[in-house]
Amino acid sequence: MPAHTLSERAARAALAAHFTPGQLTAELAEYTPAEVWEGRVRADASGLLSSYRPREELAQAELTCSFVIPSDEEWPTALADLGPACPLGLWVSGRERLPRLTSNAVTVTGNRAPTELAVTRAHDFATALAQAGHTVTATLAYGIDSTAHQAAAEAGRASLAVLPRGLDGAHPHAHAPLLRSVLGNGGAALSLYRTGTAASGATLKASAVLMAALARAVILVEALDHAGAMHAAETAVDLRRPLLAAPATGDVRSSGNARLIDGQLAVNSPDPRLAVALPYARVARAGDVADGDLLLAAVGKQGADYFTTPYIAHPEPFNPSCGCGVCCLITVPGDVVVLSQGDPWESCDPWPADDLLLIVSAQRLTDRPLEE
């Protein structure tokens, strides 16, 4: 393909307006965005692409918001984890604030029509996260997400709004004042979609995926199974982002939480202090776990297998003659470490030293999130 004068920004904006990243993976691996756009125009028999004016469309849209691309300093590097699904660009209001906000983003999401308990939990989680310096990240939807933004504002902290439509309006429309409040409080709003794009089922799902990818951790306050918020939770599982699901209540509106917890795909806790610690979770060898570290999950090739009860580690030498009924069963060769002796279980907790665990270091637990 010949070289073209169309800028990378204009070409990416044009491609993003008509295609998903996955539809362009092979071409972008070989050609520049400008070359890919020109090739698509030549192959388009409908005339739709040839009638589109990338430079003019970009200039018009940027009267409302900025289009940020991967080569920009403001680009959230966490999105690289999406691989071929990484966005071609992001439309942003509050561009200059984006690096600060996304560096410690934590998603708080859930039902549009939540229970009263879930609203209280959402407010408590978001308040604790904001006060700890994390960026509360949510849609503008009714219920859990809008409550999270409001709690962050009450705490005097900026939040990050992810919209499933163009940034020339809010979704839902009634939350236009909330969008103005987010921006007025030092926050930012971003979207995968250019101005004029309306919300749809597809944009809602893609935006939930984006929201999880941006975050260092995801908090699912309450979700009906298969509801929109579950897309964010399932993306967290796929991308191995730490995921907290508040305890299911038996109400059908928490059926999504119940499925994740039963499958050991999320840490189960109502404690906002654990939500504050969760973004600092990291993978460590069992043999390297220190006294006071918080143990969240075993980590294998398939990802994290969360414990029913997170617990504080107190490493002890392994004693194969221990009579607890578990230590005597260890037959694997190599070093073994006991991380807890009877707490929170009745027996010891021996681990091969090279096994991997998801932990939060004791240094990050300025206020222990769980009772020992």
Side-chain angles (χ1 to χ4, degrees), residues 106-109 115-134 136 143-155 219 221 244 246 269-277:
V106 177
T107 289
V108 180
T109 191
T115 61
E116 185 175 342
L117 173 60
V119 172
T120 299
R121 283 177 170 172
H123 191 278
D124 291 346
F125 279 128
T127 298
L129 288 164
Q131 290 176 340
H134 299 302
V136 171
I144 300 301
D145 291 57
S146 58
T147 296
H149 283 296
Q150 291 161 358
E154 290 168 8
I219 311 300
V221 180
L244 183 152
S269 178
D271 195 331
R273 292 170 295 176
L274 180 52
V276 168

Side-chain angles (χ1 to χ4, degrees), residues 237-238 240 264-265 297-306 356 358:
V237 173
D238 292 341
R240 302 194 178 189
Q264 295 183 276
L265 297 173
V299 178
K301 293 181 179 179
Q302 302 304 315
D305 188 7
Y306 286 89
L356 299 179
L358 184 67

Side-chain angles (χ1 to χ4, degrees), residues 210-235:
L210 172 65
M211 192 164 64
L214 285 166
R216 293 179 59 180
V218 173
I219 311 300
L220 185 70
V221 180
E222 176 192 79
L224 182 71
D225 206 359
H226 307 301
M230 290 297 290
H231 294 309
E234 289 162 353
T235 299

Side-chain angles (χ1 to χ4, degrees), residues 181-321:
S181 174
V182 168
L183 297 174
N185 288 335
L190 53 80
S191 174
L192 294 167
Y193 306 101
R194 61 175 179 152
T195 55
T197 303
S200 67
T203 68
L204 285 163
K205 181 177 180 179
S207 298
V209 171
L210 172 65
M211 192 164 64
L214 285 166
R216 293 179 59 180
V218 173
I219 311 300
L220 185 70
V221 180
E222 176 192 79
L224 182 71
D225 206 359
H226 307 301
M230 290 297 290
H231 294 309
E234 289 162 353
T235 299
V237 173
D238 292 341
L239 297 180
R240 302 194 178 189
R241 299 284 193 268
L243 173 62
L244 183 152
T249 61
D251 189 297
V252 68
R253 284 174 284 184
S254 65
S255 56
N257 294 55
R259 177 166 66 84
L260 292 170
I261 293 166
D262 289 347
Q264 295 183 276
L265 297 173
V267 61
N268 174 25
S269 178
D271 195 331
R273 292 170 295 176
L274 180 52
V276 168
L278 201 62
Y280 302 115
R282 62 181 178 85
V283 176
R285 290 176 63 253
D288 295 332
V289 170
D291 187 75
D293 289 347
L294 179 66
L295 306 184
L296 300 174
V299 178
K301 293 181 179 179
Q302 302 304 315
D305 188 7
Y306 286 89
F307 304 135
T308 302
T309 304
Y311 60 101
I312 298 296
H314 297 296
E316 298 284 348
F318 174 61
N319 177 10
S321 63

Side-chain angles (χ1 to χ4, degrees), residues 149-183:
H149 283 296
Q150 291 161 358
E154 290 168 8
R157 302 301 176 96
S159 59
L160 180 63
V162 178
L163 274 64
R165 56 151 297 149
L167 294 182
D168 52 332
H171 179 78
H173 296 298
H175 279 177
L178 178 59
L179 176 58
R180 291 193 294 271
S181 174
V182 168
L183 297 174

